[in-house]
């Protein structure tokens, strides 16, 4: 039996293997690995709730999720530019409107569905430390974060300095059972962190309110109305970030929302959000009352000042009247020939001034 064809095939396989090994020895380098743009904070693939090693390019990560069950990619972006978002939208199949919404900031909290993609918008809030409250103090720094959810991806787009999500990712990665629920687990983690930040900021604002309230009702009343107005503006901005989230959160509790396994977690977030809303609304009402009280105090202080001015004006008018009469230089005036007429006029003026002063003092005008 002729064995030559078998030897030929074996020889070709050996030579091919040798060429591959030789190429590696001579320094042939593999295709260079793509790197994520600067706007990408983190990118990871999760399988059954556990993170796969490495930080691949978002396109490669999304391609890997298509070949495995219970796998999805979480892409985190911070202030991305139009080019980055356009490339991300093309990779993940986002429509043009979704990309435009993710590019702009300043949106109100909302939940929108664009085909298979769900867009969740939340406002971020962070407390700005300050030594004392002034008429230009920045008390609360706000921004927004958008969560784009698909079958195999979760994309978080954050605008502004507040609301960093690194700790959110680290916390939920320690809970693989929860993260195994898929992209909606990311939405829950982001919502929970935003609501917790609202409660934290509310605690700091409460201390500012206590200091303002003490200054307004103190004996010296050192509170400046402009400082109170500035805190009022900051609380109103905080209120616009927190209160509108109630409607989207209720939408997430509907049957066609997140998976049933996450329903009780979103119910917990909704309960904490209600507490935050109540506290912020109470702070807004309290500040309104403080502003009205301070304005009433200013009105009373101005009224007191006007009464003092009027009292001193009356005292001065008496002296002016007496001096004016004796300054008319008529020929026939009382006491013109009296030796002590000049001293008598001064005595009369002093007596009238003292009488009026004691009268105004007793009535509380001075």
């Amino acid at each position: 039996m002729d064995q030559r064809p078998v030897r030929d095939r074996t020889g070709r396989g050996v030579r091919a293997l040798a060429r591959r090994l030789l190429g590696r020895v001579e320094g042939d380098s593999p295709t260079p690995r793509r790197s994520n743009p600067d706007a990408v904070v983190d990118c990871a693939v999760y399988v059954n709730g556990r993170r796969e090693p490495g930080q691949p390019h978002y396109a490669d990560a999304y391609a890997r999720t298509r070949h495995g069950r219970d796998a999805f990619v979480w892409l985190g972006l911070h202030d991305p530019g139009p080019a980055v978002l356009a490339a991300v939208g093309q990779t993940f199949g986002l429509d043009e409107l979704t990309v435009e919404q993710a590019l702009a900031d300043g949106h109100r909290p909302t939940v929108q569905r664009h085909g298979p993609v769900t867009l969740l918008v939340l406002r971020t809030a962070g407390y700005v430390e300050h030594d004392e409250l002034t008429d230009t103090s920045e008390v609360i720094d706000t921004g927004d974060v958008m969560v784009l959810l698909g079958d195999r991806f979760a994309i978080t787009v954050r605008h502004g300095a507040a609301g960093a999500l690194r700790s959110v990712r680290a916390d939920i990665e320690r809970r693989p059972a929860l993260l195994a629920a898929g992209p909606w687990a990311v939405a829950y983690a982001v919502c929970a962190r935003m609501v917790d930040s609202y409660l934290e900021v509310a605690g700091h604002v409460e201390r500012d309110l206590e200091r303002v309230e003490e200054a307004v009702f103190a004996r010296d009343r050192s509170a400046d109305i402009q400082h109170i107005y500035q805190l009022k503006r900051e609380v109103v901005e905080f209120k616009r970030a927190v209160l509108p989230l109630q409607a989207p959160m209720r939408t997430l509790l509907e049957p066609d929302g997140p998976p049933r396994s996450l329903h009780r977690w979103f119910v917990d977030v909704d309960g904490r959000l209600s507490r935050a809303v109540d506290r912020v609304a109470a702070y807004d009402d309290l500040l309104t009352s403080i502003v009205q009280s301070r304005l009433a105090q200013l009105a009373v202080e101005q009224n007191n000042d006007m009464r003092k001015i009027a009292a001193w004006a009356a005292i001065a008018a008496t002296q002016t009247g007496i001096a004016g009469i004796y300054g008319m230089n008529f020929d026939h005036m009382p006491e013109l020939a009296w030796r002590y007429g000049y001293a008598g006029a001064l005595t009369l003026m002093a007596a009238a001034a003292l009488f009026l002063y004691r009268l105004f003092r007793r009535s509380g005008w001075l």
Side-chain angles (χ1 to χ4, degrees), residues 126-172:
Y127 182 77
V128 180
E129 296 289 345
H130 51 273
D131 296 332
E132 61 179 4
L133 188 66
T134 66
D135 54 356
T136 58
S137 296
E138 185 179 9
V139 180
I140 301 172
D141 183 21
T142 59
D144 58 56
V145 59
M146 302 181 184
V147 184
L148 300 167
L149 302 170
D151 292 336
R152 293 186 177 273
F153 66 84
I155 304 174
T156 53
V157 183
R158 182 169 61 92
H159 298 281
L165 302 178
R166 287 186 181 274
S167 59
V168 177
R169 187 186 291 262
D171 290 343
I172 199 171

Side-chain angles (χ1 to χ4, degrees), residues 216-217 221 225 228 286-300:
V216 168
F217 295 102
R221 297 174 184 175
I225 189 65
I228 304 175
L286 178 59
L287 265 176
T288 300
S289 300
I290 291 176
V291 169
Q292 293 175 349
S293 299
R294 186 57 182 151
L295 290 176
Q297 290 176 354
L298 291 176
V300 171

Side-chain angles (χ1 to χ4, degrees), residues 5-6 81 132 140 143-144 173 191 313 316 322 327:
V6 177
E132 61 179 4
I140 301 172
D144 58 56
E173 284 179 354
C191 291
I322 297 175

Side-chain angles (χ1 to χ4, degrees), residues 237-250:
E237 182 180 359
F238 186 33
K239 182 179 179 181
R240 291 173 180 170
V242 177
L243 267 65
L245 184 58
Q246 287 182 296
M249 191 59 61
R250 300 293 165 80

Side-chain angles (χ1 to χ4, degrees), residues 88-115:
V88 170
Q90 184 177 5
T91 300
F92 291 91
L94 306 178
D95 58 31
E96 183 179 356
L97 177 60
T98 304
V99 173
E100 290 180 357
Q101 289 179 323
L103 183 61
D105 58 353
H107 295 288
R108 287 173 59 87
T110 184
V111 173
Q112 300 178 7
R113 291 182 174 86
H114 302 276

